[in-house]
Amino acid sequence: MPAVQCLGVAVESRTLVRASDPPPGFPAVLAASNLDLIIGSFHLYLIAVYPAPAEGFPTVAAAVRASLPAFLSRFFPFAGRVVTNASTGVPEIACNNAGAELVVANVGTSLSEMDFANADRSLGIIQVPFQQGLALSLQLMRFTCGGFALVWGTNHLLVDGHGLMELPNAWAELLRTGGLSWQWQPHHDRVSLFRPRSPPRYSPSLDTEFTRYAPGGLPNPLLVSTLVRRMYVVSGADLDRLRAAASTADRRATRLEALSAHVWKLLAAAVGGSDTHCRLAWLVDGRRHLDPSKYNKARLSRYLGNVVTYATREAAVESISSAPVADVAAMAGEAIKKAFRSERYEELVDWMEAHKGVFRDGGKWTEAVGVGTGSPALVVSSFVPFRVEGGFGFGRPRLVMPWVRPGRLGSAAMMVARSPEEDGSWVVTARMWPRLAEAVEADPEAVFRPATAARLGFGVPEPAAGAVQYANGNRILRMYNVVALVQ
């Protein structure tokens, strides 16, 4: 097919790949759980970026093409389609082996030249939009230096952060060993894990947490477009320092609580006198905290669907600005702890059961804290509990980061992931109002350092002899490549 150009990317091919050995007796349709429906149906990506492998990009591409059918046989819903139930309007997954999409594309720059600090001009182009309904778009992106990115594009209805990060780990094991150990065997049944009670029971306060996702209740697109996207590196030393400051003799803060306290103070400084209050929210994974007498922990650990919820805390700007950082960290920890209760998840399942009627009209729900109305809010999504190995025979990635297109949502947001280097550092992508970005970048503690190519390990080191030979050969190959690279 002709090359398709998109945001500095030349798409060389799009191919539908089907599972080679569909599991017998697999349900024709997988119903979404009520927790899936709360998060909703929208596209998200996991971007893993690798330096140039000695084997060369054609070998990588051949390995990906050859192994995808077997992978889809194990992760069969990803070979299907997200569809809408004709009678209820509720989204569900048709497990029809219609095929996952395999994209091969060229990015018109080298990794060392990529402006990673500007997330829109780096992560924002290292992925390709894909058709609504596709359950998986696996995208192999080649850079001019010979490095590559493997991008997992899917639908949030199928996975949360835990499931998204598990995909490349299972993929890597399958390619390395030809099989999957027990821990990577996926559990797909959603409804049996999270059944609503009869009758549904929930606190009336949940009604205030959600709002209908409708244009009339969202910020206008020009206002949303003023938000800027940045990528930062937070060193392990800075995280340890923040944690020490956020801890007391009676309470040791987590690193996430410590970073949250620092961010909350920066948000309060940015808000200043423009509002009396500001909010922090956290998207948290409940797998390790749900009551084992009610939820099977072994199944939960292999479950790919959504087991996440929001925790939110609003406070006066003045109190956040003046309080010791340890007090602010304790506030964050208290809010997160409340969200980990099994009772909250039971109420969320019941709440959605009582509010499914909105889907019949083509509507859906969203968390009110993310919309961008009310006091200024920043939502932190932490992926740091999840380690991505990512090595499927061509070295390990040096950057692993989720990416979401936020649409009309107007709150600020940060996604936090651990560095694949496992040196204690974190990588943060942030979507912020310009005033908040100024506060973050003027911070005298310089916790958030711009994610330059060198900081991420994509500088220009002295290459080994084999790498020089490959790079030279790659340059020759590109002279005959009919796919134009977009600068």
Side-chain angles (χ1 to χ4, degrees):
M1 63 179 288
V4 179
Q5 296 180 354
C6 178
L7 295 176
V9 171
V11 177
E12 184 175 334
S13 64
R14 291 181 186 261
T15 309
L16 285 180
V17 179
R18 293 177 172 83
S20 55
D21 188 19
F26 202 91
V29 175
L30 265 185
S33 80
N34 285 356
L35 292 180
D36 296 329
L37 298 177
I38 281 179
I39 295 298
S41 174
F42 59 90
H43 289 171
L44 74 163
Y45 302 81
L46 182 67
I47 302 171
V49 187
Y50 298 74
E55 297 85 351
F57 182 82
T59 305
V60 176
V64 170
R65 288 190 186 98
S67 57
L68 185 53
F71 178 83
L72 292 173
S73 298
R74 305 296 185 96
F75 292 79
F76 192 58
F78 293 88
R81 293 292 181 270
V82 176
V83 298
T84 300
N85 185 288
S87 60
T88 66
V90 173
E92 55 193 18
I93 303 115
C95 302
N96 53 10
N97 204 16
E101 179 183 59
L102 177 60
V103 177
V104 179
N106 296 282
V107 185
T109 188
S110 68
L111 288 168
S112 63
E113 297 168 333
M114 182 75 72
D115 182 13
F116 284 101
N118 184 333
D120 280 323
R121 295 301 304 160
S122 52
L123 295 185
I125 66 172
I126 311 176
Q127 34 78 34
V128 176
F130 56 97
Q131 280 186 343
Q132 285 297 124
L134 274 171
L136 176 64
S137 176
L138 188 62
Q139 304 174 2
L140 192 55
M141 322 287 285
R142 172 172 51 183
F143 298 88
T144 59
C145 58
F148 69 94
L150 190 63
V151 180
W152 299 80
T154 185
N155 191 303
H156 217 312
L157 200 73
L158 279 83
V159 295
D160 58 10
H162 171 275
L164 184 65
M165 303 295 250
E166 295 290 83
L167 293 177
N169 286 331
W171 166 271
E173 180 172 297
L174 189 63
L175 265 71
R176 289 196 311 266
T177 68
L180 289 179
S181 57
W182 180 86
Q183 72 179 104
W184 302 125
Q185 295 286 348
H187 179 73
H188 295 296
D189 182 12
R190 292 156 149 71
V191 178
S192 66
L193 272 173
F194 300 107
R195 294 185 184 278
R197 294 170 291 190
S198 181
R201 304 187 298 277
Y202 57 89
S203 168
S205 63
L206 278 183
D207 289 333
T208 65
E209 292 190 32
F210 298 97
T211 186
R212 185 162 176 167
Y213 189 92
L218 299 173
N220 74 69
L222 292 181
L223 183 63
V224 171
S225 69
T226 63
L227 276 71
V228 298
R229 287 192 130 177
R230 300 284 186 264
M231 183 155 58
Y232 304 103
V233 174
V234 181
S235 71
D238 280 334
L239 287 168
D240 291 340
R241 176 175 57 80
L242 290 177
R243 188 179 193 182
S247 300
T248 64
D250 299 324
R251 183 182 185 278
R252 187 169 189 237
T254 67
R255 298 210 300 176
L256 179 61
E257 291 167 357
L259 185 67
S260 296
H262 187 75
V263 168
W264 210 342
K265 282 184 167 288
L266 291 174
L267 175 61
V271 172
S274 62
D275 203 319
T276 58
H277 288 72
C278 60
R279 291 171 289 170
L280 228 62
W282 300 264
L283 191 60
V284 294
D285 177 22
R287 279 175 176 78
R288 294 180 297 168
H289 303 275
L290 295 180
D291 185 347
S293 68
K294 298 179 180 179
Y295 300 95
N296 185 301
K297 289 298 182 80
R299 290 171 69 189
L300 275 177
S301 68
R302 298 183 292 115
Y303 175 62
L304 298 182
N306 287 276
V307 194
V308 292
T309 185
Y310 281 85
T312 310
R313 181 71 181 265
E314 184 176 55
V317 169
E318 183 178 353
S319 67
I320 295 296
S321 299
S322 60
V325 67
D327 291 352
V328 181
M331 290 169 57
E334 181 183 359
I336 294 171
K337 184 178 180 180
K338 286 183 179 178
F340 283 144
R341 297 175 298 111
S342 292
E343 293 77 13
R344 174 169 175 80
Y345 283 85
E346 290 171 349
E347 289 193 350
L348 287 169
V349 170
D350 287 356
W351 185 91
M352 177 52 71
E353 187 67 17
H355 291 79
K356 280 184 176 178
V358 71
F359 291 99
R360 289 193 180 90
D361 304 326
K364 62 180 180 178
W365 298 99
T366 190
E367 288 276 353
V369 69
V371 170
T373 56
S375 64
L378 187 152
V379 180
V380 178
S381 299
S382 173
F383 293 79
V384 292
F386 315 123
R387 178 182 179 182
V388 173
E389 171 62 34
F392 61 101
F394 305 97
R396 291 182 58 192
R398 291 186 181 163
L399 173 65
V400 175
M401 201 70 211
W403 182 262
V404 174
R405 300 173 183 273
R408 292 269 294 275
L409 296 180
S411 288
M414 285 187 173
M415 287 188 174
V416 186
R418 62 201 290 172
S419 167
E421 296 296 310
E422 295 298 324
D423 57 359
S425 65
W426 291 354
V427 182
V428 179
T429 55
R431 179 174 177 264
M432 304 174 289
W433 309 284
R435 190 189 296 183
L436 178 56
E438 290 171 7
V440 168
E441 289 162 11
D443 175 21
E445 296 190 51
V447 170
F448 294 91
R449 301 176 186 271
T452 61
R455 282 199 176 103
L456 295 172
F458 297 121
V460 191
E462 188 67 23
V468 171
Q469 182 179 10
Y470 164 68
N472 289 338
N474 194 46
R475 278 194 289 270
I476 294 171
L477 285 172
R478 282 201 304 275
M479 290 173 62
Y480 297 97
N481 192 342
V482 298
V483 178
L485 299 181
V486 181
Q487 300 296 331

